[in-house]
Amino acid sequence: MAFDYKKEYKEFYMPASKPTIITVPKMNYIAVRGKGNPNDENGEYKKSIGFLYAIAFTIKMSYKGSHKIDGYFEYVVPPLEGFWWQDGGGAIDYAYKEGFNFISLIRLPDFVAKADFDWAIEQATKKKKDDFSRVEFLTYDEGVCVQCMHIGSYDDEPKTVALMHEYMKVNGYDLDITESRYHHEIYLSDPRKCAVDKLKTVVRHPIKRI
């Protein structure tokens, strides 16, 4: 049975539909940075997803080839994630999607070292005949956050965010979105295959003690 991060770490990937406070440990990711409307068919966001999955599956299937990764075990590729912000900081304006900055992410298993990541970049570049120079090995320590499962359209997230912010205040926390701590989304549904009102997205915000 392949290791499934969503099932083994439910506190990070399957929270309740009511806010909770959690401390997220340091993790390694495949990451691509970009800007623009995520709905643009030829935009940077759609391209970033292609890059991420090419590297994710190169690493996942490495055991079938000559490159052996120390400590490797079979696993399900973790879900797509995203850090989002707009210039000037503050609350996200969901109506102004052209102003989005993002870092698209897929979590890496802990056994994947930077050398293994570099090998995957080289392999994907040869196989796909594409430029993977934008793809980076990102280590991120997210720390204390408030999170909640959001069900429905991405554009309706402000309702869930309002509940999260109310909950953090009651529990003695302030919002701590900065230039290095972001609005975070984890996508548990494929919007191409799922009704909009049933989309499941983990929404997570960094916080700090008042």
Side-chain angles (χ1 to χ4, degrees):
M1 183 71 71
F3 187 92
D4 190 334
Y5 285 85
K6 295 192 302 297
K7 294 178 180 179
E8 298 297 330
Y9 295 105
K10 290 182 179 179
E11 66 270 32
F12 302 135
Y13 300 104
M14 300 297 290
S17 296
K18 59 182 181 180
T20 55
I21 291 171
I22 188 170
T23 300
V24 184
K26 184 185 294 184
M27 300 180 190
N28 295 327
Y29 297 89
I30 310 165
V32 179
R33 300 170 190 264
K35 187 168 186 173
N37 189 333
N39 297 324
D40 287 347
E41 281 302 319
N42 297 313
E44 291 185 24
Y45 182 70
K46 294 288 178 70
K47 292 177 182 177
S48 76
I49 295 174
F51 287 142
L52 290 179
Y53 278 106
I55 301 305
F57 279 96
T58 298
I59 293 171
K60 173 182 167 62
M61 304 307 293
S62 63
Y63 72 97
K64 291 190 173 183
S66 59
H67 183 85
K68 303 301 179 184
I69 299 176
D70 288 343
Y72 180 95
F73 53 79
E74 290 195 51
Y75 64 99
V76 177
V77 171
L80 177 69
E81 307 184 35
F83 295 147
W84 298 90
W85 72 97
Q86 289 169 324
D87 294 341
I92 287 178
D93 180 357
Y94 287 76
Y96 180 46
K97 293 182 172 60
E98 291 73 16
F100 277 139
N101 298 287
F102 65 82
I103 306 175
S104 293
L105 309 152
I106 292 178
R107 181 180 179 177
L108 284 167
D110 291 341
F111 58 71
V112 178
K114 179 61 164 56
D116 301 311
F117 176 85
D118 291 342
W119 167 84
I121 293 289
E122 182 180 344
Q123 289 296 112
T125 300
K126 291 178 181 177
K127 186 175 181 179
K128 302 289 186 180
K129 293 181 171 55
D130 206 341
D131 180 8
F132 285 82
S133 61
R134 291 177 56 201
V135 187
E136 61 184 278
F137 182 96
L138 176 67
T139 300
Y140 192 75
D141 191 353
E142 196 162 16
V144 181
C145 297
V146 60
Q147 68 177 12
C148 188
M149 180 71 79
H150 172 74
I151 299 176
S153 169
Y154 303 129
D155 289 339
D156 290 337
E157 283 181 12
K159 296 176 184 177
T160 297
V161 168
L163 293 175
M164 290 163 52
H165 289 184
E166 180 182 356
Y167 181 82
M168 76 181 182
K169 290 289 187 183
V170 168
N171 285 275
Y173 289 89
D174 269 337
L175 188 64
D176 193 33
I177 289 179
T178 67
E179 291 184 353
S180 60
R181 303 189 79 198
Y182 310 102
H183 171 97
H184 187 178
E185 299 180 0
I186 303 175
Y187 308 105
L188 303 178
S189 306
D190 185 340
R192 298 170 300 178
K193 303 175 182 178
C194 181
V196 171
D197 62 343
K198 294 182 180 178
L199 290 171
K200 290 185 177 181
T201 308
V202 180
V203 180
R204 187 182 293 163
H205 277 179
I207 57 177
K208 61 183 178 181
R209 274 288 181 189
I210 294 175

